[in-house]
Amino acid sequence: AQSVSQHNHHVILSEAASLELGCNYSYGGTVNLFWYVQYPGQHLQLLLKYFSGDPLVKGIKGFEAEFIKSKFSFNLRKPSVQWSDTAEYFCAVNARYNFNKFYFGSGTKLNVKP
Amino acid sequence: EAGVAQSPRYKIIEKRQSVAFWCNPISGHATLYWYQQILGQGPKLLIQFQNNGVVDDSQLPKDRFSAERLKGVDSTLKIQPAKLEDSAVYLCASSLGGPGNTIYFGEGSWLTVV
């Protein structure tokens, strides 16, 4: 069965610290990979996505993620976090040739202390 | 461009009562998803429609949950009778439907069952 694992459930950082959130998936077919963010009181929004090509993808607000196929991972990074990055982050895997199904991880809550 | 619309935003009901949620996807989006997000967990797919046909409803508790998407546009998710464990946010999302298309979420319908 397909699954998405986010090992960090709650991360607390100070402003300007570097961030890396882990995401691993299990799926045998071709996948597209996404990170979604949910700011307090808002709906889920797309942060960045990987379809093909350069495995290092850049998204909004200075976030980036690296797809490592051999490790089935798609970790999210940001060199220097801001207080406004406080949110919950969800990794998602899309089964490209399986009716566009999406599977989400359990999420990581990020608290950035000012 | 208008986003995914959901209503009602909030609902409190007693157990064994019924509730219905409505979703209007982004215009032109063929695929519509209903997710359940319990506090502290990631979104769990309940049902996925492609136009007005069901692609996946394997995780829909069919003894109490039902969903329909008439004419391939709007959708309704119904719970009858509700249980305490149904307290969650019900997220509607839509996508164009092609392989790897991004899905866009509505703001969700918060259900509390007391």
Side-chain angles (χ1 to χ4, degrees), chain B residues 39-103:
Chain B
L39 192 64
Q41 300 180 20
K44 182 183 89 171
L45 180 67
L46 291 177
I47 189 166
Q48 178 180 340
F49 293 94
Q50 181 75 13
N51 297 307
N52 60 350
V54 175
V55 169
D56 185 349
D57 64 356
S58 58
Q59 298 193 90
L60 187 74
K62 297 180 185 65
D63 57 335
R64 298 183 300 105
F65 286 64
S66 64
E68 59 181 10
R69 189 183 186 196
L70 300 175
K71 301 180 182 178
V73 181
D74 292 4
S75 177
T76 303
L77 176 70
K78 296 180 181 176
I79 308 174
Q80 180 180 16
K83 292 185 175 181
L84 296 177
E85 58 261 36
D86 298 332
S87 294
V89 180
Y90 291 86
L91 300 168
C92 182
S94 70
S95 76
L96 284 169
N101 284 129
T102 301
I103 62 173

Side-chain angles (χ1 to χ4, degrees), chain A residues 11 13-21 77-81 110:
Chain A
V11 174
L13 296 173
S14 298
E15 275 195 315
S18 65
L19 170 73
E20 180 159 3
L21 302 182
R77 301 195 292 248
K78 185 171 184 178
S80 176
V81 295
L110 172 64

Side-chain angles (χ1 to χ4, degrees), chain A residues 2 15 17 20 37 39 44 50 78-79 87 90 94 109 114:
Chain A
Q2 301 83 358
E15 275 195 315
E20 180 159 3
V37 60
Y39 297 104
L44 281 157
Y50 170 80
K78 185 171 184 178
F90 294 90
N94 164 239
K109 285 187 178 177

Side-chain angles (χ1 to χ4, degrees), chain A residues 9 32 34 36 38 41-46 49 51 88 90 94-107 109, chain B residues 9 31 33 35 37 39-43 45 48 50 55-56 91 95-108:
Chain A
H9 298 293
N32 302 306
F34 300 76
Y36 280 82
Q38 189 167 29
Q42 297 186 26
H43 63 282
L44 281 157
Q45 303 168 42
L46 181 67
K49 60 186 178 184
F51 281 2
E88 192 159 14
F90 294 90
N94 164 239
R96 191 184 298 181
Y97 300 114
N98 189 13
F99 299 103
N100 210 33
K101 294 182 181 181
F102 275 78
Y103 303 95
F104 284 82
S106 56
K109 285 187 178 177
Chain B
R9 290 293 316 279
T31 307
Y33 310 78
Y35 284 88
Q37 187 176 14
L39 192 64
Q41 300 180 20
L45 180 67
Q48 178 180 340
Q50 181 75 13
V55 169
D56 185 349
L91 300 168
S95 76
L96 284 169
N101 284 129
T102 301
I103 62 173
Y104 297 88
F105 284 88
E107 294 188 325

